[in-house]
Amino acid sequence: DSGVTQTPKHLITATGQRVTLRCSPRSGDLSVYWYQQSLDQGLQFLIQYYNGEERAKGNILERFSAQQFPDLHSELNLSSLELGDSALYFCASSTGTGIGQPQHFGDGTRLSIL
Amino acid sequence: DQQVKQNSPSLSVQEGRISILNCDYTNSMFDYFLWYKKYPAEGPTFLISISSIKDKNEDGRFTVFLNKSAKHLSLHIVPSQPGDSAVYFCAASVRYGGSQGNLIFGKGTKLSVKP
């Protein structure tokens, strides 16, 4: 058990809809990261938050947004969903900014777009 | 452009023998490297890491070797056990720049350890 909690585990929805994925980091961790794993791709970095502030952006679509709340949990919002958004979405956390530190991953949310 | 490459999609090893998983990278700015293990329906689990100032790091049965001149790292598992059967991901990060701390992953190598 990594200590990182993601909900829900599975999500099935239709094209054009909007969903919210939730992540609770390990106790004491200040950074939260979101990654996407598609069928033919490795883990792709989306976005990082550190202590409530956006710290780095990766290959995140404009239809996607995230935030980190004062209690340090984070939410990833995906809107105007397309079939290609079907993927595993992982959240990870680290103690500090992540430089030279391992990230610890949750078990992911599997998003299926019908 | 794949910055971290794991060229072997799969590897099969006999129990008790050594497993060697390889990883190549192209970005010379990478200075921190990690290996993760992933079982089905679970998230990646951190195994071991190495900083670019070292060329070897050991943790129990797991040893990571880094060859900076060749931009190559490897994970050695000795002795291999059936419970080691999983997908292994190599990852790297840079210390400076806009993407500092964020991990770039390879596509993984599926290790099967046969009893």
Side-chain angles (χ1 to χ4, degrees), chain B residues 18-80:
Chain B
I18 184 172
S19 295
I20 300 177
L21 298 108
N22 293 304
C23 178
D24 297 297
Y25 62 95
T26 57
N27 189 342
S28 57
M29 298 298 290
F30 287 147
D31 63 355
Y32 182 61
F33 304 88
L34 310 89
W35 284 95
Y36 284 83
K37 177 171 73 174
K38 187 180 181 304
Y39 294 119
E42 294 184 10
T45 300
F46 170 68
L47 268 179
I48 192 169
S49 62
I50 187 166
S51 163
S52 60
I53 63 172
K54 295 185 175 182
D55 54 18
K56 178 181 173 182
N57 190 27
E58 282 182 82
D59 184 0
R61 297 186 297 114
F62 302 92
T63 303
V64 57
F65 294 93
L66 176 62
N67 182 334
K68 283 184 292 183
S69 60
K71 294 192 178 69
H72 177 84
L73 65 156
S74 60
L75 175 68
H76 292 211
I77 306 174
V78 183
S80 301

Side-chain angles (χ1 to χ4, degrees), chain A residues 58-95:
Chain A
N59 300 321
I60 187 166
L61 299 172
E62 285 191 13
R63 300 183 285 109
F64 296 2
S65 65
Q67 53 185 328
Q68 186 179 28
F69 295 86
D71 67 352
L72 300 177
H73 91 270
S74 177
E75 292 180 355
L76 179 67
N77 300 297
L78 315 177
S79 62
S80 303
L81 287 168
E82 301 175 359
L83 292 176
D85 297 328
S86 294
L88 265 169
Y89 291 84
F90 288 103
C91 169
S93 69
S94 66
T95 51

